[in-house]
Amino acid sequence: MSTVTPRPPTAVPAVSATPAVPSSPSRASALSAVDWRVRFGALALVWGFSFLFIRLGTDGYAPLFVSLGRMLFGTAVLAAALLVKRERLPRSARTWAHLTVAAFLLNVLPFSLFAYSELRIPSSLAGICNATTPLWGMVFSLVALSEDRPTRRRFAGLLLGFAGVLVVLGAWNGFSGQDPWGTVMALTASASYAIGWIYVRRTLSSTGDSHLSLSTGQLLVGTAQLAVVAPLAAPLPSAFHPVSLLAIAALGALGTGIAMLVQYGLVAEVGPTTAALSTYFIPVVATAAGAALLGEDLTWNTPVGALIVLAGAALTQARGTSRTGNARSTSAAARDRDDT
């Protein structure tokens, strides 16, 4: 999940996923409908299980090495795809400078914070905190994006979403039973995603490089950053833990590398708005996986609060009915059509 963020910026060129010469229009339409829905569900499933993989990874290795392994496996997948498609990495030094910042905000910092947070809080709570990304995005866009002003509906969604966080944490009980530092780290990771997407939108939206090229470069830079920091800030692995290593491999290859390729295909086929809806299923999958496979406690306020968070997040992505809101909706729809 890099990004894993609801409604990512649409100005960066999407990777085309158009099938080659269909045999008939009706058959192609049916196959396309089934295909994107299957990929949509798989993406939500993989990203939801990422929090379980993080937890299993930290059972054997320090959080920074979990993040480093995740980046290594993810980079390997994207680099292989780049070679197959015969594309090249960005050439501009300015682009690489921006990718260095983007890698820190969208990968190094949030990946590491989520890994550290799961030493303190359940994986299900980390998954729910991840769903607050669009809420943070709206808050930060008020400052950074003058063209993206909220409507009353989106502002109500912001308040509703953070109310949902309070329900998840059991605020009426004084947050008893929840580690405050672990929760703060998970929420900070989600905020970092939002800041990172705004940064990408402002600096990398018109480079002329493809999604695949930019993302491979981003993961490559992020891997280098963690390769320097991890050995200095965390104890080196002293034993081989097969389950943890397999979890990290799945986290990187599936949850970071392949998931990003699937997301690009969905954006190209059905548009960024529809593709981003998979994000709203992540806390549902994460909560179910944590309870069923890790034996995490599940009280009534966790799923109820998660639903409130998701409702608030959905409202923050809604467009208003005012003249300005209609103009933004028309613009967003046009971008969706361009991406398909």
Side-chain angles (χ1 to χ4, degrees):
M1 296 164 344
S2 64
T3 111
V4 148
T5 52
R7 210 172 196 289
T10 59
V12 182
V15 176
S16 175
T18 305
V21 191
S23 57
S24 69
S26 58
R27 183 182 177 187
S29 177
L31 289 175
S32 178
V34 172
D35 185 57
W36 82 259
R37 290 189 177 107
V38 171
R39 285 182 286 131
F40 179 95
L43 187 61
L45 195 65
V46 167
W47 274 341
F49 267 87
S50 291
F51 295 93
L52 181 144
F53 293 148
I54 292 172
R55 182 59 176 269
L56 292 176
T58 56
D59 284 343
Y61 300 100
L64 285 177
F65 283 101
V66 172
S67 299
L68 175 58
R70 177 181 187 174
M71 295 287 285
L72 280 171
F73 284 107
T75 301
V77 170
L78 293 190
L82 197 71
L83 289 175
V84 170
K85 291 180 175 290
R86 296 183 178 180
E87 295 187 26
R88 65 185 187 185
L89 291 169
R91 297 293 183 90
S92 168
R94 182 182 180 85
T95 298
W96 281 103
H98 289 311
L99 285 175
T100 300
V101 179
F104 177 76
L105 293 173
L106 288 172
N107 302 112
V108 174
L109 182 61
F111 287 2
S112 301
L113 285 175
F114 272 125
Y116 274 110
S117 74
E118 291 197 37
L119 296 178
R120 296 169 170 267
I121 62 175
S123 64
S124 56
L125 179 55
I128 293 170
C129 289
N130 181 79
T132 65
T133 297
L135 307 178
W136 293 115
M138 180 180 158
V139 171
F140 297 132
S141 68
L142 291 175
V143 177
L145 301 174
S146 59
E147 75 278 9
D148 191 21
R149 294 304 181 187
T151 61
R152 291 180 181 178
R153 179 181 298 178
R154 298 179 69 197
F155 187 73
L158 179 66
L159 296 179
L160 183 63
F162 283 111
V165 172
L166 296 179
V167 173
V168 169
L169 298 178
W172 56 91
N173 290 326
F175 305 105
S176 60
Q178 301 292 354
D179 186 286
W181 286 112
T183 305
V184 167
M185 284 189 285
L187 290 173
T188 302
S190 300
S192 183
Y193 281 138
I195 296 172
W197 275 118
I198 292 174
Y199 182 83
V200 166
R201 179 173 171 179
R202 296 188 63 150
T203 62
L204 292 169
S205 61
S206 57
T207 64
D209 298 295
S210 72
H211 258 313
L212 180 58
S213 175
L214 290 172
S215 294
T216 305
Q218 179 181 311
L219 287 192
L220 191 62
V221 171
T223 301
Q225 291 174 357
L226 279 169
V228 172
V229 173
L232 297 176
L236 292 172
S238 58
F240 176 71
H241 303 278
V243 173
S244 295
L245 186 59
L246 286 174
I248 294 171
L251 180 65
L254 294 177
T256 302
I258 293 177
M260 290 177 73
L261 295 176
V262 172
Q263 185 190 33
Y264 299 154
L266 287 173
V267 169
E269 188 170 339
V270 300
T273 302
T274 300
L277 292 176
S278 61
T279 304
Y280 299 125
F281 292 90
I282 293 174
V284 178
V285 176
T287 299
L293 301 178
L294 296 178
E296 296 176 349
D297 293 333
L298 185 62
T299 56
W300 69 268
N301 58 299
T302 299
V304 170
L307 290 175
I308 296 174
V309 169
L310 292 177
L315 280 177
T316 64
Q317 303 307 292
R319 300 296 172 178
T321 57
S322 65
R323 181 177 301 177
T324 303
N326 284 336
R328 284 199 298 265
S329 297
T330 302
S331 176
R335 289 196 302 269
D336 286 7
R337 289 194 297 273
D338 291 340
D339 281 332
T340 59

